[in-house]
Amino acid sequence: MCGIVGYTGPREAGPILLAGLRRLEYRGYDSAGIALLDDVGDLFVEKRAGKLANLTTALADRTPHAGVGLAHTRWATHGRPNDLNAHPHVDCTGEITVIHNGIIENFRELRDGLEARGHVLTSETDTEAIAHLVEEVYAGDLADATRAALRRLEGAYALAVMHRAESDRLVGARMNVPLVVGLGEGESFLASDVSAILEHTRRVIFLEEGD
Ligand code: GLU
């Protein structure tokens, strides 16, 4: 269980997210990744096994211009610590992006059901199932779809989700893994731990279980 950072607002999301991940490095991790949505809804994803430096090298210190994004450090529980299994994970349509810390206990049953219904899962993780479950119920409102998908999960999670059609919005949820919301001036943050966002805001909401 490592780290989550999310940002939505008027500033460049990429550098804010990478700085947030650096502040979460102390928690330990085996892979890191980032997803950015630009204002026309184009999605950019980069993820790498190993140190955060592997990710920043892959990005060549340039992140696309974007006001919304998610970033993650992984401590593998389901699936090897490789590039493919690193988060973010995306659904079949490429519209929905998910990062997650924790363990989905009923992942085998969920993955089998999704595959039987025609979904193509490209990683070995428990997390990827969440992206496809949100895909199945999405009807125009990401918070509603995430709530409905989470009813199917057993286990522990802090997670963050975004959708290309709602490109100023992040949805977060917590069950037995910490997640905080940071409130800025016209901008908002999600993070595993306040240390990731304290340089930007002191107004923080500590989510409760089930929020
Ligand atoms: N269970 C997920 C995985 O193995 C998340 C692990 C974590 O908490 O980083 O990808």
Side-chain angles (χ1 to χ4, degrees):
M1 288 179 199
C2 296
I4 282 176
V5 197
Y7 175 79
T8 175
R11 291 193 282 156
E12 286 291 345
I16 292 172
L17 294 173
L18 292 173
L21 285 189
R22 271 182 214 109
R23 295 202 183 273
L24 296 177
E25 275 195 292
Y26 76 91
R27 298 160 69 99
Y29 62 99
D30 55 49
S31 326
I34 188 166
L36 295 164
L37 256 189
D38 69 18
D39 43 16
V40 294
D42 283 339
L43 176 68
F44 169 89
V45 177
E46 190 66 77
K47 49 196 199 171
R48 285 287 188 275
K51 289 284 168 201
L52 197 46
N54 296 357
L55 176 66
T56 51
T57 303
L59 294 167
D61 286 328
R62 279 182 301 114
T63 49
H65 170 71
V68 188
L70 301 171
H72 184 263
T73 47
R74 177 178 189 231
W75 189 265
T77 65
H78 294 66
R80 287 160 288 179
N82 58 23
D83 291 352
L84 194 66
N85 290 330
H87 303 205
H89 291 287
V90 177
D91 73 318
C92 296
T93 64
E95 299 286 299
I96 296 157
T97 310
V98 174
I99 57 175
H100 158 234
N101 286 147
I103 293 175
I104 305 307
E105 307 284 355
N106 59 337
F107 80 101
R108 176 50 57 204
E109 172 196 326
L110 292 173
R111 284 184 62 113
D112 289 350
L114 285 161
E115 282 172 345
R117 294 192 296 278
H119 292 267
V120 178
L121 280 76
T122 57
S123 77
E124 303 163 326
T125 63
D126 50 345
T127 301
E128 191 186 345
I130 304 169
H132 297 271
L133 289 172
V134 175
E135 175 192 350
E136 284 195 330
V137 294
Y138 184 78
D141 186 305
L142 187 59
D144 285 349
T146 304
R147 264 188 221 101
L150 295 186
R151 286 190 205 107
R152 311 270 309 275
L153 302 188
E154 290 162 21
Y157 49 81
L159 55 85
V161 190
M162 64 184 188
H163 194 293
R164 286 181 58 192
E166 299 180 51
S167 61
D168 57 354
R169 191 175 196 200
L170 296 180
V171 173
R174 164 190 173 150
M175 187 65 82
N176 297 321
V177 180
L179 190 66
V180 303
V181 175
L183 303 172
E185 295 302 325
E187 58 185 3
S188 304
F189 304 82
L190 280 173
S192 301
D193 172 326
V194 287
S195 63
I197 56 174
L198 266 186
E199 67 180 291
H200 305 294
T201 182
R202 306 256 151 178
R203 287 197 293 147
V204 174
I205 300 167
F206 292 85
L207 296 185
E208 308 276 346
E209 303 305 354
D211 281 354

